């Protein structure tokens, strides 16, 4: 673990620095005492930096990552609380990930290509699109074809941004029903009507997906 914190703790990585952890990049853990566990908060601020590894927190702890000024994080969110990207920064998601509060995206959140047909899910309570791009992989086939998923759990999707779709091997097919699921709201989650617009044409074989 590159950063293991009990907090309150603010960590700044800047000036082109690169930080990686053996599996974990950062982990916020609850303070223990002889009476009750004490809440803990760890904030990691990246300014023109490269980060690699899993980031998250245990129960009653808070872990936040902010990416600014061309920063790039590659890693899983494992009960990460909040993630924030400015317009110049990028998060590469290599496996299914979970944020417990909000993902605020003015930059680029991108899933790595599926391996052995396994697509990924990105769970968060709230998603705020600040003009950022969500780049997913989708098998462009018929209704119900597999795809990377953004899942909103009990919160809302607000703002606006772009959805970039890369074909993961589909040859195109008519979608006569509900099409291919790429954003899902569960447990009462809602989405703004203009949350996503396609970043460009999505074509497989003779078919164009909208």
């Amino acid at each position: 673990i590159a950063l293991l914190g009990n907090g309150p703790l603010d960590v700044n990585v800047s000036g082109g620095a690169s930080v990686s952890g053996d599996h974990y990049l950062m982990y916020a853990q609850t303070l223990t005492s002889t009476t009750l566990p004490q809440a803990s908060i760890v904030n990691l601020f990246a300014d023109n930096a490269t980060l690699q590894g899993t980031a998250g927190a245990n129960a009653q702890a808070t872990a936040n990552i902010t990416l600014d000024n061309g920063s790039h994080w590659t890693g899983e969110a494992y009960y990460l609380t909040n993630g924030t990207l400015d317009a110049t920064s990028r998060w590469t998601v290599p496996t299914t990930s979970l944020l417990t509060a909000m993902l605020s995206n003015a930059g680029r959140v991108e899933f790595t290509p599926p391996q052995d047909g396994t697509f990924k899910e990105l769970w968060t309570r709230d998603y705020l699109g600040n003009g950022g791009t969500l780049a997913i992989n989708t098998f462009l086939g018929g209704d119900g074809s597999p795809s990377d998923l953004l899942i909103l759990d009990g919160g809302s999707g607000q703002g606006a941004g772009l959805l970039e779709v890369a074909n993961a091997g589909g040859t195109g097919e008519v979608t006569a029903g509900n099409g291919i699921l790429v954003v899902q709201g569960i447990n009462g989650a809602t989405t703004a009507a203009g949350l996503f617009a396609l970043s460009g044409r999505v074509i497989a074989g003779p078919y164009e997906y909208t």
Side-chain angles (χ1 to χ4, degrees), residues 64-65 77 80-85 91 97-106 109 122-130 134 149-160 183-192 195-196:
N64 302 317
I65 284 185
L80 182 70
T81 310
N82 296 288
T84 304
L85 292 80
W91 175 24
S97 291
L98 170 64
L99 292 88
T100 58
M102 176 177 284
L103 175 59
S104 179
N105 181 21
V109 176
L122 176 54
W123 290 67
T124 183
R125 185 188 67 199
D126 299 307
Y127 180 91
L128 178 61
N130 285 322
L134 179 67
L149 275 175
L150 172 65
I151 299 176
L152 306 177
D153 188 358
S156 66
Q158 298 293 328
V183 179
Q184 183 177 18
I186 64 173
N187 295 325
T190 60
T191 58
L195 181 61
F196 287 113

Side-chain angles (χ1 to χ4, degrees), residues 14-207:
S14 60
S18 179
V19 177
S20 63
D22 183 10
H23 184 57
Y24 270 101
L25 167 69
M26 67 174 291
Y27 191 74
Q29 60 182 8
T30 306
L31 293 167
T32 57
S33 68
T34 56
T35 54
L36 294 174
Q38 302 297 306
S40 173
I41 181 169
V42 176
N43 297 307
L44 178 58
F45 299 96
D47 184 339
N48 184 27
T50 301
L51 310 175
Q52 184 159 356
T54 299
N58 68 358
Q60 293 185 294
T62 297
N64 302 317
I65 284 185
T66 300
L67 305 177
D68 288 326
N69 195 22
S71 293
H72 181 198
W73 170 37
T74 301
E76 174 191 1
Y78 181 75
Y79 293 93
L80 182 70
T81 310
N82 296 288
T84 304
L85 292 80
D86 78 350
T88 66
S89 297
R90 178 165 46 117
W91 175 24
T92 301
V93 185
T95 189
T96 290
S97 291
L98 170 64
L99 292 88
T100 58
M102 176 177 284
L103 175 59
S104 179
N105 181 21
R108 180 180 177 86
V109 176
E110 58 186 18
F111 292 89
T112 58
Q115 299 295 319
D116 301 321
T118 301
F119 292 81
K120 305 167 188 69
E121 297 173 352
L122 176 54
W123 290 67
T124 183
R125 185 188 67 199
D126 299 307
Y127 180 91
L128 178 61
N130 285 322
T133 296
L134 179 67
I136 65 172
N137 304 284
T138 301
F139 184 89
L140 294 177
D143 294 295
S145 291
S147 176
D148 295 326
L149 275 175
L150 172 65
I151 299 176
L152 306 177
D153 188 358
S156 66
Q158 298 293 328
L162 297 175
L163 184 69
E164 180 182 308
V165 180
N167 187 7
T171 56
E173 190 175 334
V174 171
T175 53
N178 289 329
I180 302 172
L181 183 65
V182 294
V183 179
Q184 183 177 18
I186 64 173
N187 295 325
T190 60
T191 58
L195 181 61
F196 287 113
L198 290 176
S199 64
R201 298 179 69 186
V202 181
I203 298 173
Y207 301 97

